[in-house]
Amino acid sequence: MKLFYSSAVKWFAGIVLLLSCMFSAAEGVSAENRPNVIIVLTDDQGYGDVGFHNNPKIRTPHLDQLARKSIELTRFYCSPVCAPTRASLLTGRNYYRTGVIHTSRGGAKMQGDEVTLAELLQLAGYQTGIFGKWHLGDNYPMRPQDQGFAETLIHKSGGIGQSPDQPNSYFHPKLWKNGDAFESTGYCTDVFFDEALKFMDRQQQAEKPFFVYLATNAPHTPLEIAESYWKPYQQQGLDETTARVYGMLTNLDENMGKLLSHLDRSGLAESTLVIFLGDNGPQQKRYTAGLRGRKSWIYEGGIRVPCLAYWPGHFREGEKIDQIAAHIDLLPTLLTLTNTPRPEALKLDGVDLSPLLTGSQQKLPERSLFFQVHRGLMPQRYQNFAVVTERFKLAGYPGTFGNENLMLQAVPVLELYDLSNDPGEQENVLHAHPETVKDLLSQYEAWFSEMKAARNFEPGLIVIDQMKEHPSVLCRYQDGTFQRGVSEGWMVKIVRAGLYQIKIKRQTEKPGKLFVNWQGRTVHEYLAAEESTAEFELKAGTGLLDICFQAEGEDRIYPGDNSTRGDVVLTQMK
């Protein structure tokens, strides 16, 4: 029997947690057993992009100091690209279960009925805020405000300057605050940290525990940073690309110093648990501390990231834990450390790391971690996958992330590495360990079948409900349903039938027709050269909503690039 995580699960979770909090309040909950939680998640900062991993060029003094005071999980893994990591981190589940497939073109929409860490902590009495990058869907019911965050300050899509927020810049970026457009002042990373600190101050004054998800878009491209940050690195002989990345990370490091100092000055340090980590390997070629590969690869350089756990007076300073751990483990770990009950109906893939962090246990039972990601909305068995154990890694078709139409061989292309002796993955020992290969391949095949059975790889559904989101902005590049590189429309549910105004971002100033194909019926309205809107009667229902503008005398254009061409604003009139 398949178990789907519907709104009923969220309702059940809410009842359980509310009752738990009532009992906790009666018993007297202290800050010690309900710590504040801060997760700092950076974007494209690889394992080697910190000083404490012996990078000879980068300057990260505050992170280096944090590492000396923290527990470091030295073998911490994330997915090889960002949206899958974020889905797994926030749900404790393998991202294929959540509706997320990859990073764009309809693949980064988490199902609205997923239960997030923010929702669980919010129901347990925490004040929740996100500052930075969400990247799990920009429409109801997938937005952060729909998924447990009471305060939101985010950019849309996968990054600042990507559609639908174009044009935009890392300097004074246009953001979205609690659902409304927000013109910020300053550099993006500074803005996110400053707003997070203000949020923390308000919760401290109200004597309420808080959860801050501080997910920067730095050092993701575009590599925009003040010259004063990157020029010194270029003067050391680094190329401009690397210099800019390191400059962005130096700015990030300064903000981490500001955050940690603020915790000390405000007296919050001992009642606040801080997790710092990256979301995947580096996008560009640079120092990786000897690890092979980078972003999108399932070699160690693509999926192994820095991870620090800091809680003064509770975690041991400077300890290194070399047991494998991953993004899926943070939710169950934080539920334990915050004394937040986990609903029994909620299936998690991660394990609770708190016994390792508190020192009550030296080793957890051995297990396997699974990773896979590639372009296209229908994952292919064996493509760009890895199974990681304490000793071995089995890799399948490595380096094929961008190949949407990979011709798989009857016998899959496999590699095996003994990570205990070869963390740089230089020697393929496939033929020396046939039984290990057989076992790990069997595990992978069972895992892939289970992932497919969960939701059949169906991305989250955009719900057109003007009571929840008004208007609905449909971004073609980020959220459209793509086949063979072009958008065919959007998978939506229209809650209420009625008259809708449709405004389209046109590709041309010529006159033509605005077409709407919905529920098996195609209609159109003529638009003059200066017009971009028309009104249509739309039925309630679920399916593919295809909207396009076709210029007079020309064939239809199927835009597939990262631009706003073909984006639609949908407003219910009555």
Side-chain angles (χ1 to χ4, degrees), residues 244-424:
R244 286 182 174 273
V245 171
Y246 286 3
M248 295 169 84
L249 288 170
T250 293
N251 170 267
L252 171 78
D253 184 77
E254 289 177 358
N255 277 287
M256 284 298 298
K258 181 169 59 179
L259 169 65
L260 296 170
S261 295
H262 187 84
L263 293 177
D264 287 334
R265 288 196 310 271
S266 61
L268 288 172
E270 292 191 2
S271 60
T272 304
L273 195 168
V274 179
I275 303 289
F276 173 87
L277 73 159
D279 69 341
N280 48 247
Q283 181 175 359
Q284 305 83 9
K285 187 177 181 179
R286 56 182 181 268
Y287 176 83
T288 61
L291 301 183
R292 182 181 180 183
R294 52 186 190 270
K295 180 178 180 178
S296 83
W297 290 74
I298 41 75
Y299 292 135
E300 294 288 280
I303 59 177
R304 195 166 152 193
V305 297
C307 183
L308 304 174
Y310 173 70
W311 190 7
H314 301 268
F315 293 166
R316 299 168 304 287
E317 292 189 4
E319 181 167 329
K320 296 181 186 296
I321 295 175
D322 62 0
Q323 190 165 355
I324 59 172
H327 45 21
I328 52 176
D329 300 331
L330 291 185
L331 183 144
T333 301
L334 290 171
L335 292 185
T336 297
L337 292 173
T338 60
N339 287 284
T340 299
R342 165 187 162 187
E344 291 184 7
L346 183 61
K347 178 176 176 55
L348 300 181
D349 295 303
V351 303
D352 179 8
L353 302 175
S354 64
L356 296 179
L357 297 175
T358 59
S360 64
Q361 206 168 323
Q362 296 302 309
K363 285 287 184 182
L364 296 179
E366 291 200 10
R367 58 175 170 151
S368 298
L369 300 173
F370 301 90
F371 304 94
Q372 179 171 2
V373 70
H374 56 81
R375 292 293 186 209
L377 294 181
M378 184 50 64
Q380 300 179 71
R381 192 182 295 264
Y382 307 120
Q383 184 179 358
N384 205 42
F385 85 87
V387 182
V388 178
T389 69
E390 292 295 335
R391 179 180 175 184
F392 288 104
K393 175 193 281 184
L394 180 69
Y397 290 97
T400 58
F401 168 77
N403 191 336
E404 293 189 37
N405 300 298
L406 180 67
M407 298 299 293
L408 299 172
Q409 300 179 19
V411 178
V413 174
L414 301 174
E415 298 174 3
L416 183 73
Y417 296 96
D418 184 347
L419 298 177
S420 63
N421 297 313
D422 180 24

Side-chain angles (χ1 to χ4, degrees), residues 106 109 139-140 142 377 458-464 474 479-483 487-494 518-519 541-546:
K109 296 183 295 183
N139 294 96
Y140 175 78
M142 297 170 280
L377 294 181
E458 292 182 5
L461 188 70
I462 296 172
V463 176
I464 309 297
L474 304 180
D479 299 320
T481 298
F482 274 68
Q483 297 292 339
S487 170
E488 298 182 341
W490 298 266
M491 286 300 300
V492 305
K493 176 181 179 181
I494 295 181
W518 173 242
Q519 299 288 286
T542 300
L544 184 70
L545 174 63
D546 184 18

